Amino acid sequence: MADILSIEHLNVALKKSPSRLLVKNTSFKLASGKTTCIVGESGSGKSLTALTIMGLLSNQLIATGRVLFNGVDLTTLDNRGMQKIRGAQIGMIFQEPMTSLNPVLTIGFQIGEVLTAHQALKGNALKASVARLLTQVGIPETRNSSYPDELSGGQRQRVMVAMSIACEPALLIADEPTTALDVTVQAQILTLLDELKSRMNMAMLFITHDFGVVSDIADDVVVMFRGEIVEAGPKEQVLGNPQHPYTKALLDCVPDVAGKKELNPIDYAWLNHHELSNSGASS
Ligand SMILES: Nc1ncnc2c1ncn2[C@@H]1O[C@H](COP(=O)(O)OP(=O)(O)OP(=O)(O)O)[C@@H](O)[C@H]1O
Ligand SMILES: [Mg+2]
């Protein structure tokens, strides 16, 4: 199957200290209709990788390498070129729903804006699409005139989901989209995303800390540690037979529902020693 996304040797660094890489030599591919989950510790470069794909890196940062989307290197596009793709062909659910929504605009308006910008929808057709999207993410359509601060964290996250899928993108990037949700709403959103994936052959890049979600939805898993991919492959291989000590340590921290498993917090001193003696990699 053709890859819709291919990241090749991506490096991200601060402009003022380009030798200290925040994302190091990252490469992976994603095919249409497939889901890749990125897992890894806080600060390991997961969000920076996602933001680079969207062309939304802060201007204090610089990226090198290629981000091929349907064969086009997105890093070569100007802002106008990127705007046509962003929201229409690539949707993103951001990690921070409150800072990503405009506090002075109603949620109905913000969802509608995406449809007007990319599909020129107006009037009753626009209203009907916004109502359908709200219902799809489990928010009553009567809430379309609510402002973001009138909604709970989970509802705001669902508004983000509605905006990201409004144009039925070919690729959806989701940065911890279900972290703020209770398990029943989380299941509802995951089912919705899964349904979109099958119906539209959508590809999903899903960043999460939740191994329950990984085991539910992933085809492939990418494990990031200190800016680098330390392990990647099919879910069964990475979860069932992890090779890298960080992946093993990460899986050791996951509780089982019955609470029978002994939890082992990650021993960073040991990991540092192992890393340095094996690869010399450190940040
Ligand atoms: N605008 C920025 N300026 C400077 N450093 C940044 C900037 N954005 C991110 N970083 C740094 O880059 C590293 C990777 O950040 P990133 O947000 O990708 O982490 P993450 O893996 O998504 O973590 P989390 O699980 O906590 O969301 C971190 O050390 C972070 O402090
Ligand atoms: Mg992040």
Side-chain angles (χ1 to χ4, degrees), residues 46-47 95 175-176:
K46 305 181 299 296
S47 293
Q95 190 168 5
D175 194 351
E176 305 198 28

Side-chain angles (χ1 to χ4, degrees), residues 87-88 100-102 105-122 125-148 151 155-168:
S100 311
L101 289 171
N102 189 329
L105 298 173
T106 65
I107 58 162
F109 182 85
Q110 294 187 64
I111 297 170
E113 244 183 348
V114 185
L115 293 161
T116 307
H118 294 292
Q119 296 181 350
L121 279 192
K122 293 189 278 211
L126 180 63
K127 271 194 199 149
S129 290
V130 170
R132 179 181 45 81
L133 282 160
L134 282 171
T135 311
Q136 268 188 329
V137 296
I139 297 179
E141 55 179 272
T142 47
R143 298 297 302 267
N144 72 344
S145 50
S146 298
Y147 290 88
L151 302 177
Q155 285 172 326
R156 289 197 284 260
Q157 190 67 299
R158 284 187 266 165
V159 172
M160 290 291 302
V161 174
M163 287 166 74
S164 73
I165 60 173
C167 296
E168 308 203 334

Side-chain angles (χ1 to χ4, degrees), residues 42-48 95-96 175-176 207 209:
S42 185
S44 57
K46 305 181 299 296
S47 293
L48 287 185
Q95 190 168 5
E96 308 284 350
D175 194 351
E176 305 198 28
I207 299 171
H209 283 108

Side-chain angles (χ1 to χ4, degrees), residues 28 61 84 91 99 106 160 280:
F28 63 90
L61 300 169
K84 280 194 192 146
T99 50
T106 65
M160 290 291 302

Side-chain angles (χ1 to χ4, degrees), residues 88-240:
Q89 296 175 51
I90 308 180
M92 178 150 178
I93 307 170
F94 291 92
Q95 190 168 5
E96 308 284 350
M98 200 51 203
T99 50
S100 311
L101 289 171
N102 189 329
V104 299
L105 298 173
T106 65
I107 58 162
F109 182 85
Q110 294 187 64
I111 297 170
E113 244 183 348
V114 185
L115 293 161
T116 307
H118 294 292
Q119 296 181 350
L121 279 192
K122 293 189 278 211
N124 285 341
L126 180 63
K127 271 194 199 149
S129 290
V130 170
R132 179 181 45 81
L133 282 160
L134 282 171
T135 311
Q136 268 188 329
V137 296
I139 297 179
E141 55 179 272
T142 47
R143 298 297 302 267
N144 72 344
S145 50
S146 298
Y147 290 88
D149 71 347
E150 294 167 349
L151 302 177
S152 71
Q155 285 172 326
R156 289 197 284 260
Q157 190 67 299
R158 284 187 266 165
V159 172
M160 290 291 302
V161 174
M163 287 166 74
S164 73
I165 60 173
C167 296
E168 308 203 334
L171 168 66
L172 180 67
I173 302 173
D175 194 351
E176 305 198 28
T178 54
T179 311
L181 307 179
D182 68 61
V183 283
T184 51
V185 180
Q186 171 172 307
Q188 187 189 358
I189 298 285
L190 292 178
T191 308
L192 167 67
L193 295 179
D194 200 51
E195 190 262 319
L196 279 172
K197 200 181 96 172
S198 336
R199 184 160 58 80
M200 296 155 26
N201 209 24
M202 182 174 84
M204 249 202 308
L205 187 61
F206 202 102
I207 299 171
T208 182
H209 283 108
D210 186 335
F211 276 91
V213 172
V214 176
S215 111
D216 256 8
I217 66 164
D219 294 297
D220 291 320
V221 181
V222 166
V223 185
M224 290 190 77
F225 180 62
R226 296 180 185 167
E228 280 180 288
I229 294 180
V230 291
E231 186 155 2
K235 167 178 73 183
E236 295 71 21
Q237 181 191 310
V238 175
L239 299 190

